[in-house]
Structure formats: structure tokens, C-alpha cells
Amino acid sequence: MRWGLIPLLLGASTSSAHAQTRDSLPGTTVLRLSATATRAVPPDYAVLRLGINTQDKRAADAGRANARLVSQVMAAVRHTGIPLDSISTGAYAVQANLRDRMGQVTGYTARAELSVVLHDLEQIGAVIDAALEAGATDVAPVSFAARSLDTARDSAYAAAVRDVYRRAEAVAAAAGGRVIAAVELMATERRARVPCVVCEEAVQRPDQTTVVTPGFIAVTVDIHALFRIQVP
């Protein structure tokens, strides 16, 4: 069945209520429906962010200590097999440590950040352990990404739209009518990391190394639609 499509709107939606109300056109009514589709893909690379903090009474000394520690951490990460072009420096700052509101300086803290891109996800734990042993003081939550995520998102959009149209046809047919047109389509999208529920790697290892399981990256699409239907 071919329908006319009056405007297509993609944006945030605050309502997913299902309702039918009589329209001003005789013999027609409007139908609100929602549909959801989710697609999940395994990540194929991860980004690890490491923080290195050093303190000293003088700003210059804190900075020099930080530079030495950053070099040590980079060497340790490279020793795990990570190439140099997968390691980059990020934020860097040196700040005074204040004792109270009077502004008395008690020393200085230098902070640096390293970003490590890992294409072999089984290396994540080993890289974290090596970095901490070399002097890294902070490890941010690991970010996972997948090159196929755009394809998965497009598939979720298509599936949700097909489902909401199918439901509209079913409701209209049950009421003895037919769908005239889709008056409005609104979409919302959200992403989430789905943890690995059952993973052999998650069992504690004898060598006590850090274990990070990638799980899956899920993209969920919600379609909220308004249809005009003809009823007896």
C-alpha cells in the first residue's frame, strides 16, 4: 500500500503516548503510535585515557617531575606492544595548591594526560597495569567505539520506521479503515554500552592482571508517529 507523506520531522520527542482522537475532517481520525528498534555491534577499538599527577613545592620542579613520569608511562605502554602513533598527549596543566581561602600557596601540582588507542581489545588490561606500575595516577573509564556503528544505527532507524507503519496498518484495518498518510514522524536516538554478561575472560586470572571486557555498543531508535486514518 502506498501512502502520502506530509512533513517528516526528525528531532527530540517528549511523548510516546498512544492515543486516537477525532479529527476535524469527517470520517477521519488521527492515530499516535511509537516503535523502538535496537541494534548492537561489538567494538573494534578502544581509547584509554591515563592521568599523571606530580606535586612539588616549586612549579618548575612539579613540571619536570611530571615530564619524567610521562616519559616513563609512555615507555611502559610501548613495551606492551602499542605503537608510538597510537599514543598521544592530551591536557596539561600546572596549578597552585592553596591551603585556604586566604590564598596561601603550599605547593604546585602538574597534571598531564595520555590517550592510547587500542585495536587489540585484549591488551587493555595489560596496558592499564603497565601504566600504573610506571607511575600513572588516574585511569578514566575506557571508551569503546565501532566503525560499523553508523550501519547499525541506519538499520535501527529503518526497522523502527517499518514497525510503526506496520502497526498503523494493523490498527486501521482492525477498525475497518485505512491509513491515509503519515502526518508526522519524530525520532530519538540513544547509545549505550552493553556489558558482557557471560565472559570467560571475566573470571579472575591467576596472575591478578586487570580484566576489561568490551561487551557491545547498542544504539536504540524510538520513532513517534502521527497518522491520519480513514474510519467508517
Side-chain angles (χ1 to χ4, degrees):
M1 179 180 297
R2 296 179 63 87
W3 305 333
L5 180 61
I6 309 174
L8 171 65
L9 304 178
L10 296 180
S13 175
T14 58
S15 174
S16 59
H18 296 218
Q20 292 186 19
T21 57
R22 277 284 172 181
D23 196 89
S24 58
L25 295 178
T28 69
T29 189
V30 291
L31 172 67
R32 296 185 184 274
L33 289 173
S34 296
T36 299
T38 299
R39 297 291 184 268
V41 295
D44 46 33
Y45 69 98
V47 178
L48 178 63
R49 291 180 174 83
L50 305 168
I52 298 98
N53 297 337
T54 53
Q55 294 184 347
D56 210 297
K57 292 183 178 180
R58 296 177 65 247
D61 293 335
R64 278 192 290 268
N66 192 272
R68 287 193 298 269
L69 206 53
V70 167
S71 296
Q72 293 175 19
V73 173
M74 289 184 67
V77 170
R78 291 195 65 190
H79 189 68
T80 65
I82 303 300
L84 182 60
D85 59 4
S86 292
I87 307 171
S88 60
T89 56
Y92 180 82
V94 178
Q95 295 177 321
N97 303 325
L98 304 180
R99 176 175 292 175
D100 50 35
R101 293 183 180 179
M102 298 300 293
Q104 182 178 359
V105 177
T106 60
Y108 294 85
T109 298
R111 298 182 176 87
E113 181 183 277
L114 290 179
S115 294
V116 183
V117 179
L118 300 103
H119 297 281
D120 182 356
L121 301 184
E122 293 185 357
Q123 285 186 293
I124 297 174
V127 172
I128 290 175
D129 291 340
L132 292 174
E133 282 290 338
T137 55
D138 299 292
V139 179
V142 181
S143 300
F144 293 94
R147 295 178 181 84
S148 60
L149 193 59
D150 286 343
T151 301
R153 180 183 59 202
D154 293 345
S155 175
Y157 270 100
V161 170
R162 286 195 301 267
D163 192 28
V164 79
Y165 270 69
R166 179 189 59 79
R167 294 182 185 185
E169 285 185 327
V171 171
R178 66 181 182 87
V179 174
I180 299 174
V183 178
E184 181 180 279
L185 292 178
M186 301 183 71
T188 59
E189 175 189 327
R190 57 189 186 276
R191 299 181 186 182
R193 177 174 172 256
V194 181
C196 185
V197 179
V198 180
C199 291
E200 294 180 0
E201 294 81 4
V203 179
Q204 189 176 30
R205 296 176 178 174
D207 57 2
Q208 298 295 312
T209 57
T210 299
V211 176
V212 178
T213 54
F216 296 87
I217 303 173
V219 56
T220 299
V221 172
D222 300 299
I223 297 294
H224 310 281
L226 178 66
F227 294 92
R228 186 182 302 283
I229 65 173
Q230 188 177 56
V231 292

Short mmCIF file of all heavy atoms in Angstrom, two decimals, residues 152-222:
data_model
loop_
_atom_site.label_atom_id
_atom_site.label_comp_id
_atom_site.label_asym_id
_atom_site.label_seq_id
_atom_site.Cartn_x
_atom_site.Cartn_y
_atom_site.Cartn_z
N ALA A 152 24.77 0.12 11.82
CA ALA A 152 23.82 -0.40 12.80
C ALA A 152 22.75 0.62 13.12
O ALA A 152 21.56 0.29 13.26
CB ALA A 152 24.57 -0.81 14.07
N ARG A 153 23.14 1.88 13.23
CA ARG A 153 22.16 2.93 13.52
C ARG A 153 21.16 3.08 12.38
O ARG A 153 19.94 3.18 12.61
CB ARG A 153 22.89 4.25 13.74
CG ARG A 153 21.95 5.43 14.05
CD ARG A 153 22.73 6.70 14.18
NE ARG A 153 23.46 6.99 12.94
CZ ARG A 153 24.54 7.77 12.88
NH1 ARG A 153 25.02 8.31 13.98
NH2 ARG A 153 25.13 8.00 11.72
N ASP A 154 21.63 3.07 11.14
CA ASP A 154 20.73 3.15 9.99
C ASP A 154 19.75 1.99 9.98
O ASP A 154 18.56 2.14 9.67
CB ASP A 154 21.52 3.18 8.70
CG ASP A 154 22.34 4.45 8.53
OD1 ASP A 154 22.08 5.42 9.28
OD2 ASP A 154 23.24 4.48 7.67
N SER A 155 20.24 0.80 10.33
CA SER A 155 19.38 -0.37 10.38
C SER A 155 18.31 -0.22 11.46
O SER A 155 17.14 -0.61 11.25
CB SER A 155 20.22 -1.62 10.65
OG SER A 155 19.40 -2.77 10.80
N ALA A 156 18.68 0.35 12.61
CA ALA A 156 17.70 0.55 13.68
C ALA A 156 16.63 1.56 13.27
O ALA A 156 15.44 1.36 13.54
CB ALA A 156 18.42 1.02 14.95
N TYR A 157 17.05 2.63 12.60
CA TYR A 157 16.06 3.61 12.11
C TYR A 157 15.08 2.95 11.15
O TYR A 157 13.86 3.13 11.25
CB TYR A 157 16.77 4.77 11.41
CG TYR A 157 17.14 5.91 12.32
CD1 TYR A 157 18.43 6.06 12.81
CD2 TYR A 157 16.19 6.85 12.70
CE1 TYR A 157 18.78 7.11 13.65
CE2 TYR A 157 16.51 7.91 13.53
CZ TYR A 157 17.81 8.03 14.01
OH TYR A 157 18.14 9.07 14.84
N ALA A 158 15.61 2.19 10.20
CA ALA A 158 14.75 1.55 9.20
C ALA A 158 13.78 0.58 9.85
O ALA A 158 12.59 0.53 9.51
CB ALA A 158 15.61 0.84 8.15
N ALA A 159 14.27 -0.21 10.80
CA ALA A 159 13.42 -1.20 11.46
C ALA A 159 12.32 -0.54 12.27
O ALA A 159 11.16 -0.99 12.27
CB ALA A 159 14.27 -2.10 12.35
N ALA A 160 12.65 0.54 12.99
CA ALA A 160 11.64 1.22 13.80
C ALA A 160 10.57 1.87 12.93
O ALA A 160 9.37 1.82 13.25
CB ALA A 160 12.31 2.26 14.69
N VAL A 161 10.98 2.47 11.83
CA VAL A 161 10.01 3.09 10.92
C VAL A 161 9.10 2.03 10.30
O VAL A 161 7.87 2.20 10.24
CB VAL A 161 10.72 3.91 9.82
CG1 VAL A 161 9.73 4.35 8.75
CG2 VAL A 161 11.40 5.13 10.44
N ARG A 162 9.68 0.93 9.84
CA ARG A 162 8.86 -0.15 9.28
C ARG A 162 7.85 -0.66 10.30
O ARG A 162 6.69 -0.93 9.97
CB ARG A 162 9.74 -1.30 8.79
CG ARG A 162 10.49 -1.03 7.50
CD ARG A 162 11.04 -2.32 6.92
NE ARG A 162 11.94 -3.00 7.84
CZ ARG A 162 13.27 -2.82 7.85
NH1 ARG A 162 13.83 -1.98 7.00
NH2 ARG A 162 14.02 -3.49 8.71
N ASP A 163 8.29 -0.79 11.55
CA ASP A 163 7.42 -1.33 12.59
C ASP A 163 6.26 -0.39 12.89
O ASP A 163 5.12 -0.83 13.04
CB ASP A 163 8.23 -1.59 13.85
CG ASP A 163 7.47 -2.43 14.86
OD1 ASP A 163 6.60 -3.22 14.44
OD2 ASP A 163 7.74 -2.30 16.08
N VAL A 164 6.53 0.91 12.97
CA VAL A 164 5.45 1.83 13.29
C VAL A 164 4.44 1.92 12.15
O VAL A 164 3.23 2.03 12.37
CB VAL A 164 6.01 3.22 13.67
CG1 VAL A 164 6.40 4.04 12.45
CG2 VAL A 164 5.03 3.98 14.55
N TYR A 165 4.91 1.82 10.89
CA TYR A 165 3.98 1.79 9.76
C TYR A 165 3.15 0.51 9.77
O TYR A 165 1.95 0.52 9.48
CB TYR A 165 4.76 1.90 8.45
CG TYR A 165 4.98 3.32 7.98
CD1 TYR A 165 5.83 4.18 8.67
CD2 TYR A 165 4.36 3.82 6.84
CE1 TYR A 165 6.04 5.48 8.25
CE2 TYR A 165 4.56 5.11 6.40
CZ TYR A 165 5.40 5.94 7.13
OH TYR A 165 5.60 7.24 6.70
N ARG A 166 3.80 -0.61 10.09
CA ARG A 166 3.07 -1.89 10.15
C ARG A 166 1.98 -1.84 11.21
O ARG A 166 0.85 -2.31 10.99
CB ARG A 166 4.05 -3.01 10.45
CG ARG A 166 3.42 -4.40 10.56
CD ARG A 166 4.40 -5.43 11.07
NE ARG A 166 4.91 -5.07 12.39
CZ ARG A 166 4.25 -5.26 13.52
NH1 ARG A 166 3.02 -5.77 13.49
NH2 ARG A 166 4.79 -4.92 14.68
N ARG A 167 2.28 -1.25 12.35
CA ARG A 167 1.28 -1.15 13.41
C ARG A 167 0.13 -0.24 13.01
O ARG A 167 -1.04 -0.52 13.34
CB ARG A 167 1.94 -0.62 14.69
CG ARG A 167 2.97 -1.56 15.30
CD ARG A 167 3.55 -1.01 16.58
NE ARG A 167 4.60 -1.84 17.10
CZ ARG A 167 5.21 -1.64 18.27
NH1 ARG A 167 4.84 -0.60 19.01
NH2 ARG A 167 6.16 -2.44 18.68
N ALA A 168 0.45 0.83 12.32
CA ALA A 168 -0.62 1.73 11.86
C ALA A 168 -1.56 1.01 10.91
O ALA A 168 -2.79 1.15 11.00
CB ALA A 168 -0.01 2.95 11.19
N GLU A 169 -1.01 0.23 9.99
CA GLU A 169 -1.85 -0.54 9.07
C GLU A 169 -2.73 -1.53 9.83
O GLU A 169 -3.92 -1.70 9.52
CB GLU A 169 -0.97 -1.30 8.08
CG GLU A 169 -0.36 -0.45 6.99
CD GLU A 169 0.40 -1.30 5.98
OE1 GLU A 169 0.98 -2.33 6.40
OE2 GLU A 169 0.40 -0.95 4.80
N ALA A 170 -2.14 -2.19 10.85
CA ALA A 170 -2.90 -3.18 11.61
C ALA A 170 -4.05 -2.53 12.38
O ALA A 170 -5.17 -3.06 12.40
CB ALA A 170 -1.97 -3.92 12.57
N VAL A 171 -3.79 -1.40 13.01
CA VAL A 171 -4.84 -0.72 13.76
C VAL A 171 -5.94 -0.22 12.83
O VAL A 171 -7.14 -0.37 13.11
CB VAL A 171 -4.24 0.46 14.57
CG1 VAL A 171 -5.35 1.30 15.19
CG2 VAL A 171 -3.31 -0.07 15.66
N ALA A 172 -5.55 0.38 11.71
CA ALA A 172 -6.55 0.89 10.77
C ALA A 172 -7.40 -0.24 10.22
O ALA A 172 -8.63 -0.11 10.11
CB ALA A 172 -5.86 1.64 9.64
N ALA A 173 -6.78 -1.35 9.87
CA ALA A 173 -7.53 -2.49 9.34
C ALA A 173 -8.48 -3.05 10.37
O ALA A 173 -9.62 -3.42 10.06
CB ALA A 173 -6.56 -3.57 8.87
N ALA A 174 -8.04 -3.13 11.63
CA ALA A 174 -8.91 -3.66 12.69
C ALA A 174 -10.12 -2.77 12.91
O ALA A 174 -11.19 -3.24 13.31
CB ALA A 174 -8.11 -3.78 13.99
N ALA A 175 -9.96 -1.47 12.64
CA ALA A 175 -11.07 -0.53 12.79
C ALA A 175 -11.92 -0.45 11.53
O ALA A 175 -12.87 0.34 11.47
CB ALA A 175 -10.53 0.85 13.14
N GLY A 176 -11.59 -1.24 10.52
CA GLY A 176 -12.34 -1.24 9.28
C GLY A 176 -12.02 -0.07 8.38
O GLY A 176 -12.81 0.29 7.51
N GLY A 177 -10.85 0.53 8.58
CA GLY A 177 -10.49 1.68 7.77
C GLY A 177 -9.16 1.47 7.06
O GLY A 177 -8.71 0.35 6.85
N ARG A 178 -8.51 2.57 6.75
CA ARG A 178 -7.22 2.51 6.08
C ARG A 178 -6.39 3.72 6.45
O ARG A 178 -6.92 4.75 6.87
CB ARG A 178 -7.41 2.45 4.56
CG ARG A 178 -8.01 3.72 3.95
CD ARG A 178 -8.20 3.61 2.45
NE ARG A 178 -8.71 4.85 1.89
CZ ARG A 178 -7.96 5.88 1.50
NH1 ARG A 178 -6.64 5.79 1.61
NH2 ARG A 178 -8.50 6.97 1.00
N VAL A 179 -5.09 3.59 6.28
CA VAL A 179 -4.18 4.70 6.54
C VAL A 179 -4.19 5.64 5.33
O VAL A 179 -4.02 5.20 4.19
CB VAL A 179 -2.75 4.20 6.81
CG1 VAL A 179 -1.78 5.37 6.93
CG2 VAL A 179 -2.71 3.35 8.08
N ILE A 180 -4.36 6.92 5.59
CA ILE A 180 -4.32 7.91 4.52
C ILE A 180 -2.91 8.45 4.35
O ILE A 180 -2.38 8.51 3.24
CB ILE A 180 -5.30 9.07 4.81
CG1 ILE A 180 -6.73 8.54 4.90
CG2 ILE A 180 -5.18 10.14 3.74
CD1 ILE A 180 -7.74 9.60 5.31
N ALA A 181 -2.29 8.85 5.45
CA ALA A 181 -0.95 9.45 5.36
C ALA A 181 -0.30 9.46 6.73
O ALA A 181 -0.97 9.41 7.76
CB ALA A 181 -1.02 10.87 4.81
N ALA A 182 1.01 9.53 6.73
CA ALA A 182 1.77 9.80 7.94
C ALA A 182 1.90 11.32 8.05
O ALA A 182 2.48 11.96 7.18
CB ALA A 182 3.15 9.16 7.87
N VAL A 183 1.33 11.89 9.08
CA VAL A 183 1.32 13.34 9.23
C VAL A 183 2.63 13.82 9.85
O VAL A 183 3.14 14.89 9.51
CB VAL A 183 0.13 13.77 10.11
CG1 VAL A 183 0.14 15.28 10.33
CG2 VAL A 183 -1.18 13.32 9.48
N GLU A 184 3.21 13.01 10.75
CA GLU A 184 4.42 13.44 11.43
C GLU A 184 5.21 12.21 11.89
O GLU A 184 4.63 11.22 12.33
CB GLU A 184 4.05 14.31 12.64
CG GLU A 184 5.22 14.84 13.42
CD GLU A 184 4.77 15.70 14.60
OE1 GLU A 184 4.44 16.88 14.38
OE2 GLU A 184 4.73 15.16 15.72
N LEU A 185 6.52 12.30 11.77
CA LEU A 185 7.42 11.29 12.31
C LEU A 185 8.47 12.02 13.15
O LEU A 185 9.08 12.96 12.66
CB LEU A 185 8.12 10.50 11.21
CG LEU A 185 7.27 9.57 10.35
CD1 LEU A 185 8.14 8.91 9.28
CD2 LEU A 185 6.60 8.50 11.20
N MET A 186 8.65 11.57 14.37
CA MET A 186 9.66 12.15 15.25
C MET A 186 10.55 11.02 15.76
O MET A 186 10.07 9.93 16.06
CB MET A 186 9.02 12.91 16.41
CG MET A 186 8.10 14.03 15.97
SD MET A 186 7.41 14.97 17.35
CE MET A 186 8.86 15.85 17.90
N ALA A 187 11.85 11.28 15.84
CA ALA A 187 12.79 10.23 16.22
C ALA A 187 13.71 10.69 17.33
O ALA A 187 14.12 11.86 17.38
CB ALA A 187 13.62 9.81 15.00
N THR A 188 14.02 9.78 18.23
CA THR A 188 15.05 9.99 19.24
C THR A 188 16.03 8.83 19.15
O THR A 188 15.65 7.72 18.75
CB THR A 188 14.46 10.08 20.65
OG1 THR A 188 13.76 8.86 20.96
CG2 THR A 188 13.50 11.25 20.77
N GLU A 189 17.25 9.09 19.52
CA GLU A 189 18.31 8.08 19.42
C GLU A 189 19.14 8.09 20.68
O GLU A 189 19.43 9.15 21.24
CB GLU A 189 19.20 8.39 18.21
CG GLU A 189 20.40 7.49 18.06
CD GLU A 189 21.34 8.00 16.98
OE1 GLU A 189 20.86 8.59 15.99
OE2 GLU A 189 22.57 7.85 17.14
N ARG A 190 19.52 6.93 21.16
CA ARG A 190 20.39 6.84 22.32
C ARG A 190 21.35 5.67 22.15
O ARG A 190 21.03 4.69 21.49
CB ARG A 190 19.58 6.68 23.62
CG ARG A 190 18.64 5.49 23.65
CD ARG A 190 17.74 5.54 24.88
NE ARG A 190 16.92 4.35 25.03
CZ ARG A 190 15.76 4.15 24.43
NH1 ARG A 190 15.29 5.08 23.63
NH2 ARG A 190 15.08 3.04 24.62
N ARG A 191 22.51 5.83 22.74
CA ARG A 191 23.53 4.79 22.66
C ARG A 191 23.93 4.35 24.06
O ARG A 191 23.90 5.13 25.01
CB ARG A 191 24.78 5.28 21.92
CG ARG A 191 24.51 5.70 20.49
CD ARG A 191 25.79 6.16 19.81
NE ARG A 191 25.53 6.69 18.49
CZ ARG A 191 26.46 7.13 17.66
NH1 ARG A 191 27.73 7.10 18.05
NH2 ARG A 191 26.15 7.60 16.47
N ALA A 192 24.32 3.11 24.19
CA ALA A 192 24.74 2.58 25.49
C ALA A 192 25.71 1.43 25.27
O ALA A 192 25.65 0.73 24.24
CB ALA A 192 23.54 2.12 26.31
N ARG A 193 26.59 1.25 26.21
CA ARG A 193 27.47 0.08 26.18
C ARG A 193 26.79 -1.04 26.94
O ARG A 193 26.39 -0.88 28.10
CB ARG A 193 28.83 0.40 26.80
CG ARG A 193 29.75 -0.82 26.87
CD ARG A 193 31.14 -0.45 27.35
NE ARG A 193 31.92 -1.66 27.58
CZ ARG A 193 32.18 -2.16 28.78
NH1 ARG A 193 31.71 -1.57 29.86
NH2 ARG A 193 32.90 -3.26 28.91
N VAL A 194 26.64 -2.17 26.29
CA VAL A 194 26.03 -3.34 26.91
C VAL A 194 27.16 -4.22 27.44
O VAL A 194 27.96 -4.73 26.66
CB VAL A 194 25.17 -4.12 25.90
CG1 VAL A 194 24.52 -5.31 26.58
CG2 VAL A 194 24.11 -3.20 25.29
N PRO A 195 27.23 -4.40 28.76
CA PRO A 195 28.34 -5.21 29.30
C PRO A 195 28.21 -6.67 28.92
O PRO A 195 27.12 -7.17 28.60
CB PRO A 195 28.20 -5.02 30.82
CG PRO A 195 26.76 -4.68 31.02
CD PRO A 195 26.35 -3.90 29.80
N CYS A 196 29.34 -7.33 28.93
CA CYS A 196 29.36 -8.76 28.63
C CYS A 196 28.78 -9.50 29.83
O CYS A 196 29.28 -9.40 30.95
CB CYS A 196 30.79 -9.21 28.37
SG CYS A 196 30.93 -10.92 27.86
N VAL A 197 27.68 -10.24 29.61
CA VAL A 197 27.01 -10.93 30.71
C VAL A 197 27.78 -12.18 31.12
O VAL A 197 28.02 -12.45 32.29
CB VAL A 197 25.57 -11.28 30.33
CG1 VAL A 197 24.89 -12.03 31.47
CG2 VAL A 197 24.79 -10.02 29.99
N VAL A 198 28.18 -12.98 30.15
CA VAL A 198 28.92 -14.20 30.44
C VAL A 198 30.19 -14.19 29.60
O VAL A 198 30.14 -14.31 28.38
CB VAL A 198 28.09 -15.46 30.10
CG1 VAL A 198 28.91 -16.70 30.40
CG2 VAL A 198 26.79 -15.48 30.89
N CYS A 199 31.32 -13.99 30.24
CA CYS A 199 32.60 -13.95 29.55
C CYS A 199 33.62 -14.76 30.33
O CYS A 199 33.79 -14.55 31.53
CB CYS A 199 33.11 -12.51 29.41
SG CYS A 199 32.14 -11.49 28.28
N GLU A 200 34.26 -15.66 29.64
CA GLU A 200 35.30 -16.44 30.31
C GLU A 200 36.42 -15.52 30.80
O GLU A 200 37.04 -15.76 31.83
CB GLU A 200 35.88 -17.49 29.36
CG GLU A 200 34.87 -18.57 28.98
CD GLU A 200 35.49 -19.60 28.05
OE1 GLU A 200 36.68 -19.43 27.73
OE2 GLU A 200 34.79 -20.54 27.66
N GLU A 201 36.67 -14.42 30.05
CA GLU A 201 37.75 -13.52 30.42
C GLU A 201 37.46 -12.79 31.72
O GLU A 201 38.36 -12.25 32.35
CB GLU A 201 37.99 -12.49 29.31
CG GLU A 201 38.51 -13.09 28.02
CD GLU A 201 37.40 -13.69 27.17
OE1 GLU A 201 36.24 -13.57 27.57
OE2 GLU A 201 37.72 -14.29 26.14
N ALA A 202 36.18 -12.75 32.13
CA ALA A 202 35.82 -12.02 33.33
C ALA A 202 36.17 -12.80 34.60
O ALA A 202 36.14 -12.25 35.69
CB ALA A 202 34.32 -11.69 33.33
N VAL A 203 36.50 -14.06 34.48
CA VAL A 203 36.90 -14.84 35.63
C VAL A 203 38.27 -14.35 36.09
O VAL A 203 39.15 -14.06 35.28
CB VAL A 203 36.96 -16.34 35.26
CG1 VAL A 203 37.41 -17.16 36.47
CG2 VAL A 203 35.60 -16.82 34.77
N GLN A 204 38.45 -14.26 37.40
CA GLN A 204 39.72 -13.74 37.93
C GLN A 204 40.88 -14.58 37.45
O GLN A 204 40.88 -15.80 37.54
CB GLN A 204 39.68 -13.73 39.45
CG GLN A 204 40.86 -13.00 40.07
CD GLN A 204 40.73 -12.92 41.57
OE1 GLN A 204 40.15 -13.79 42.19
NE2 GLN A 204 41.28 -11.87 42.15
N ARG A 205 41.89 -13.92 36.91
CA ARG A 205 43.05 -14.61 36.39
C ARG A 205 44.05 -14.90 37.50
O ARG A 205 44.17 -14.14 38.45
CB ARG A 205 43.71 -13.77 35.30
CG ARG A 205 42.83 -13.55 34.08
CD ARG A 205 43.51 -12.62 33.09
NE ARG A 205 42.70 -12.44 31.89
CZ ARG A 205 43.02 -11.59 30.92
NH1 ARG A 205 44.10 -10.84 31.01
NH2 ARG A 205 42.24 -11.47 29.86
N PRO A 206 44.79 -15.99 37.35
CA PRO A 206 45.78 -16.33 38.37
C PRO A 206 46.84 -15.26 38.57
O PRO A 206 47.35 -15.08 39.67
CB PRO A 206 46.41 -17.63 37.83
CG PRO A 206 45.38 -18.19 36.90
CD PRO A 206 44.70 -17.00 36.30
N ASP A 207 47.19 -14.52 37.50
CA ASP A 207 48.25 -13.52 37.63
C ASP A 207 47.74 -12.18 38.15
O ASP A 207 48.50 -11.22 38.26
CB ASP A 207 48.95 -13.32 36.29
CG ASP A 207 47.98 -12.91 35.18
OD1 ASP A 207 46.78 -12.74 35.48
OD2 ASP A 207 48.43 -12.75 34.04
N GLN A 208 46.43 -12.10 38.47
CA GLN A 208 45.84 -10.91 39.07
C GLN A 208 45.92 -9.68 38.17
O GLN A 208 45.94 -8.56 38.66
CB GLN A 208 46.51 -10.61 40.42
CG GLN A 208 46.36 -11.70 41.45
CD GLN A 208 44.92 -11.91 41.88
OE1 GLN A 208 44.22 -10.97 42.19
NE2 GLN A 208 44.48 -13.15 41.89
N THR A 209 45.98 -9.86 36.88
CA THR A 209 46.02 -8.72 35.97
C THR A 209 44.63 -8.12 35.81
O THR A 209 43.62 -8.80 36.02
CB THR A 209 46.55 -9.12 34.59
OG1 THR A 209 45.74 -10.17 34.06
CG2 THR A 209 47.99 -9.60 34.69
N THR A 210 44.59 -6.85 35.45
CA THR A 210 43.31 -6.17 35.25
C THR A 210 42.59 -6.76 34.05
O THR A 210 43.18 -7.01 33.00
CB THR A 210 43.54 -4.67 35.04
OG1 THR A 210 44.17 -4.14 36.19
CG2 THR A 210 42.22 -3.95 34.80
N VAL A 211 41.28 -6.97 34.19
CA VAL A 211 40.47 -7.52 33.11
C VAL A 211 39.41 -6.50 32.71
O VAL A 211 38.68 -5.98 33.56
CB VAL A 211 39.79 -8.84 33.54
CG1 VAL A 211 38.87 -9.36 32.44
CG2 VAL A 211 40.83 -9.88 33.91
N VAL A 212 39.34 -6.18 31.44
CA VAL A 212 38.31 -5.28 30.90
C VAL A 212 37.66 -5.99 29.73
O VAL A 212 38.32 -6.32 28.74
CB VAL A 212 38.90 -3.94 30.43
CG1 VAL A 212 37.80 -3.06 29.83
CG2 VAL A 212 39.58 -3.22 31.59
N THR A 213 36.36 -6.27 29.83
CA THR A 213 35.64 -6.94 28.74
C THR A 213 34.86 -5.90 27.95
O THR A 213 34.15 -5.08 28.53
CB THR A 213 34.66 -8.00 29.30
OG1 THR A 213 33.80 -7.39 30.28
CG2 THR A 213 35.43 -9.13 29.97
N PRO A 214 34.98 -5.89 26.63
CA PRO A 214 34.38 -4.82 25.83
C PRO A 214 32.86 -4.85 25.73
O PRO A 214 32.22 -3.82 25.59
CB PRO A 214 35.02 -5.02 24.45
CG PRO A 214 35.41 -6.46 24.42
CD PRO A 214 35.81 -6.80 25.83
N GLY A 215 32.25 -6.03 25.78
CA GLY A 215 30.80 -6.11 25.63
C GLY A 215 30.37 -5.68 24.23
O GLY A 215 31.02 -5.99 23.23
N PHE A 216 29.26 -4.92 24.17
CA PHE A 216 28.72 -4.47 22.89
C PHE A 216 28.32 -3.00 22.99
O PHE A 216 28.08 -2.48 24.08
CB PHE A 216 27.49 -5.29 22.49
CG PHE A 216 27.78 -6.74 22.23
CD1 PHE A 216 27.77 -7.66 23.27
CD2 PHE A 216 28.08 -7.17 20.94
CE1 PHE A 216 28.06 -9.00 23.02
CE2 PHE A 216 28.36 -8.50 20.70
CZ PHE A 216 28.35 -9.42 21.74
N ILE A 217 28.23 -2.35 21.85
CA ILE A 217 27.72 -0.98 21.77
C ILE A 217 26.33 -1.06 21.12
O ILE A 217 26.19 -1.55 20.01
CB ILE A 217 28.63 -0.07 20.94
CG1 ILE A 217 30.04 -0.07 21.53
CG2 ILE A 217 28.07 1.35 20.90
CD1 ILE A 217 31.04 0.66 20.67
N ALA A 218 25.33 -0.59 21.85
CA ALA A 218 23.95 -0.66 21.36
C ALA A 218 23.44 0.73 21.01
O ALA A 218 23.67 1.69 21.75
CB ALA A 218 23.04 -1.30 22.41
N VAL A 219 22.75 0.81 19.90
CA VAL A 219 22.08 2.05 19.52
C VAL A 219 20.58 1.75 19.42
O VAL A 219 20.17 0.78 18.79
CB VAL A 219 22.62 2.62 18.18
CG1 VAL A 219 22.50 1.61 17.05
CG2 VAL A 219 21.90 3.91 17.81
N THR A 220 19.78 2.56 20.12
CA THR A 220 18.34 2.37 20.16
C THR A 220 17.66 3.59 19.54
O THR A 220 17.98 4.73 19.87
CB THR A 220 17.85 2.18 21.60
OG1 THR A 220 18.45 1.01 22.16
CG2 THR A 220 16.33 2.02 21.64
N VAL A 221 16.71 3.32 18.67
CA VAL A 221 15.97 4.38 17.98
C VAL A 221 14.50 4.28 18.34
O VAL A 221 13.91 3.19 18.27
CB VAL A 221 16.14 4.29 16.45
CG1 VAL A 221 15.22 5.27 15.74
CG2 VAL A 221 17.59 4.55 16.07
N ASP A 222 13.91 5.38 18.77
CA ASP A 222 12.48 5.46 19.05
C ASP A 222 11.82 6.34 17.99
O ASP A 222 12.26 7.47 17.77
CB ASP A 222 12.23 6.06 20.44
CG ASP A 222 12.86 5.24 21.55
OD1 ASP A 222 12.50 4.07 21.69
OD2 ASP A 222 13.73 5.79 22.26
#
